[in-house]
Amino acid sequence: MFNAQDSVGFKSIAIERPEAITHALITERLSKPYKVLHFGDSHIQGDRISGEIRNNMQAIGGNGGSGLIFPYALCKSFGPVGTNSTISGTYSYSTILKNPLHKRIGLLGYELSLTNGAVFNMEFTDQFKGKRTKKFSVLIFGKPDTVAISLEIPGELTSRLPIGEQLTQYTFECNEIPSIIKFKALKDCSFWGMEFIQEEGLTYQQCGVVGAQFTHLIAYQKEIIEMLQWQKPNLLVFSYGTNESYGTIDSTKYEAQVSAFLHAVKIALPNVGILITNAPDTRSAGKIPKSELLVNRCLNRIAEKSASAYFDVNASMGGWGSQIAWQTEDLFLKDRLHFNKKGATLIGQIMSYAIFSTCQIAPNEQSILLKKIIDSFPKSKEIHDVPNQEKTRYYTVKKGDTLSSIAKNLGTTVASIRALNNIDDPNAIKTGQKLRY
């Protein structure tokens, strides 16, 4: 049994290696323009978790808007909320998961390829949560020899800034805050996103992609880093692991690839704070995520190797098997993979509280958040139908295996395997032997 105070009041709410973000999150800096970019999968693209964190951070840092946005609905996905987007003319799209023509793609993980003459239209409704202004920018990828787009609403082009190779930021200004953004492609080009320009406040931009894994960023490292250098974020948050958990991963390769990516990011942005979170406890269509514990151990080690901060979302929920209690309390959708609005809000509140308390900022907001968390958190749980993954996982020894190589591949330690299997001589394992881990 556990209660809310047990789960969110002490160990599981702490951020490991807090020094990685505290230098970037101090009250003095939050009084100036501040930018957070949150990468992740569908939990983040849906913007309910990131949206709650945005609300809480902007309560102390000011409303600097939601940064770059993209019309995901035109790519057969969802969002952003409060927008209706259409394109007249021919267009196609690619994502970091599905890109058969090997298109260049930026940090939002999506691109729209517009043909000459296509007209893009995005309408903003009362449900739009971002902050609109008279001034906005559009990111266009294409040969920069001529102007690629023309504004089809009252306003004027005020600047055309090259960003990296063949990427251009077009900035427009209207006489009044537009409720519709409309532009025409003057040649074949690719749309990478748009942003309302803010002069102050905290900007919180989500870069989620449905189905994404951490390693999907690697193929687009050049473009992502070029855009990061242009945006100059203060804090990067990476929330992956769910999609990795339902498949099989090579933990050694996974750690090496992600660590190399983060190393490149840190070289390009030496002063940026980095926070890595892990996979929440889920049961997609009732399936047990067979690699969840392994993936989360990998993410923790990746954070340690890269000197990044690490927050254990899974533990903050109550740990392995806690999904049952969250489902019972109506905090998940029926797919048992995604949080509903109430559940996502709670996760966002927990993460916000973890950031504030770890960085010792916003004490009033901490108190408010903690009360909300305790009031909404599942009061108790009893696990009957979910096996304890850590006690029932086995590895069959293969020819050439050593305890050291097995531990490294499984994301555990030699000492742990020896203890679980009562192994006195680490060299005495045999091919075909089953080892608990």
Side-chain angles (χ1 to χ4, degrees):
M1 304 287 286
F2 69 87
N3 60 46
Q5 189 66 43
D6 290 337
S7 181
V8 303
F10 304 101
K11 265 191 171 182
S12 63
I13 205 66
I15 290 178
E16 297 179 34
R17 292 171 289 281
E19 64 278 1
I21 59 172
T22 50
H23 76 279
L25 265 170
I26 56 177
T27 305
E28 288 78 11
R29 288 198 181 181
L30 287 182
S31 65
K32 301 176 182 178
Y34 191 91
K35 182 167 287 188
V36 182
L37 268 61
H38 195 157
F39 292 82
D41 48 34
S42 56
H43 293 301
I44 303 306
Q45 186 185 312
D47 202 35
R48 285 178 169 172
I49 294 174
S50 51
E52 178 62 21
I53 303 172
R54 179 188 299 114
N55 291 341
N56 292 319
M57 292 191 75
Q58 288 181 342
I60 62 173
N63 187 351
S66 52
L68 285 170
I69 58 176
F70 191 90
Y72 303 109
L74 292 175
C75 303
K76 297 183 179 179
S77 190
F78 58 88
V81 173
T83 63
N84 296 313
S85 300
T86 59
I87 294 178
S88 61
T90 305
Y91 79 97
S92 61
Y93 68 88
S94 303
T95 76
I96 58 173
L97 277 74
K98 187 176 181 181
N99 189 6
L101 298 180
H102 305 290
K103 295 289 187 71
R104 297 275 296 276
I105 298 177
L107 54 77
L108 292 184
Y110 289 80
E111 69 84 34
L112 281 172
S113 291
L114 309 174
T115 58
N116 188 346
V119 177
F120 172 88
N121 186 88
M122 180 181 280
E123 179 182 3
F124 299 88
T125 71
D126 293 339
Q127 284 71 46
F128 180 65
K129 301 299 183 183
K131 183 180 179 182
R132 292 182 292 121
T133 60
K134 295 180 182 179
K135 198 173 183 179
F136 63 92
S137 64
V138 178
L139 291 184
I140 296 293
F141 180 82
K143 293 181 179 180
D145 52 342
T146 59
V147 174
I149 61 173
S150 64
L151 194 62
E152 300 291 293
I153 58 173
E156 61 177 342
L157 176 66
T158 59
S159 68
R160 187 160 63 107
L161 175 67
I163 304 168
E165 184 182 348
Q166 298 188 51
L167 182 63
T168 303
Q169 178 192 27
Y170 290 82
T171 300
F172 300 92
E173 187 163 4
C174 300
N175 294 330
E176 56 185 34
I177 297 176
S179 58
I180 295 176
I181 301 296
K182 187 175 184 180
F183 63 83
K184 181 178 182 179
L186 302 179
K187 62 178 182 178
D188 292 356
C189 59
S190 177
F191 170 70
W192 282 18
M194 66 148 292
E195 176 178 12
F196 289 104
I197 306 297
Q198 314 292 336
E199 302 298 333
E200 58 184 17
L202 185 144
T203 301
Y204 199 107
Q205 175 179 307
Q206 67 87 3
C207 305
V209 178
V210 173
Q213 300 181 19
F214 215 143
T215 50
H216 287 137
L217 300 177
I218 294 167
Y220 305 94
Q221 177 174 307
K222 181 178 183 294
E223 293 85 352
I224 290 172
I225 288 180
E226 284 180 349
M227 291 186 69
L228 288 176
Q229 289 175 315
W230 160 64
Q231 288 201 303
K232 298 180 176 61
N234 301 86
L235 176 65
L236 297 176
V237 184
F238 295 94
S239 296
Y240 292 101
T242 296
N243 295 301
E244 292 95 320
S245 294
Y246 284 91
T248 301
I249 69 165
D250 180 333
S251 61
T252 302
K253 183 178 180 181
Y254 182 80
E255 283 186 37
Q257 289 180 324
V258 176
S259 295
F261 171 80
L262 292 175
H263 179 68
V265 169
K266 287 205 163 192
I267 289 176
L269 294 90
N271 296 319
V272 74
I274 295 180
L275 171 62
I276 296 173
T277 74
N278 66 3
D281 195 49
T282 61
R283 295 292 180 275
S284 179
K287 296 178 182 177
I288 294 175
K290 60 181 181 179
S291 298
E292 182 178 289
L293 295 173
L294 172 59
V295 168
N296 285 351
R297 286 195 293 266
C298 286
L299 289 169
N300 194 354
R301 282 199 302 275
I302 288 167
E304 186 174 11
K305 289 177 182 177
S306 63
S308 300
Y310 179 77
F311 181 62
D312 194 333
V313 175
N314 195 293
S316 76
M317 289 178 63
W320 174 253
S322 58
Q323 194 277 336
I324 293 175
W326 285 62
Q327 187 80 35
T328 301
E329 295 285 334
D330 190 28
L331 297 169
F332 267 86
L333 296 177
K334 290 182 180 180
D335 64 6
R336 300 180 68 181
L337 176 63
H338 297 101
F339 299 97
N340 58 20
K341 183 177 181 180
K342 186 166 64 171
T345 298
L346 178 54
I347 290 291
Q349 290 169 344
I350 291 172
M351 289 180 63
S352 299
Y353 178 81
I355 292 170
F356 292 172
S357 60
T358 298
C359 298
Q360 299 181 355
I361 58 175
N364 291 337
E365 284 73 14
Q366 285 184 48
S367 299
I368 294 170
L369 282 169
L370 187 57
K371 184 179 186 309
K372 288 180 179 178
I373 293 166
I374 293 174
D375 288 345
S376 302
F377 203 87
K379 300 301 184 290
S380 65
K381 69 164 185 170
E382 292 185 21
I383 300 174
H384 299 293
D385 60 342
V386 180
N388 186 320
Q389 196 181 44
E390 291 193 279
K391 292 183 180 179
T392 58
R393 290 180 62 82
Y394 290 87
Y395 175 82
T396 302
V397 178
K398 299 179 179 62
K399 186 177 180 180
D401 277 346
T402 64
L403 278 187
S404 179
S405 66
I406 292 170
K408 188 174 183 180
N409 187 51
L410 296 178
T412 184
T413 64
V414 171
S416 176
I417 294 177
R418 289 182 65 179
L420 285 171
N421 296 278
N422 298 315
I423 297 174
D424 293 324
D425 182 358
N427 299 314
I429 60 173
K430 299 177 181 179
T431 301
Q433 181 179 353
K434 291 185 181 297
L435 299 176
R436 291 172 57 192
Y437 70 95

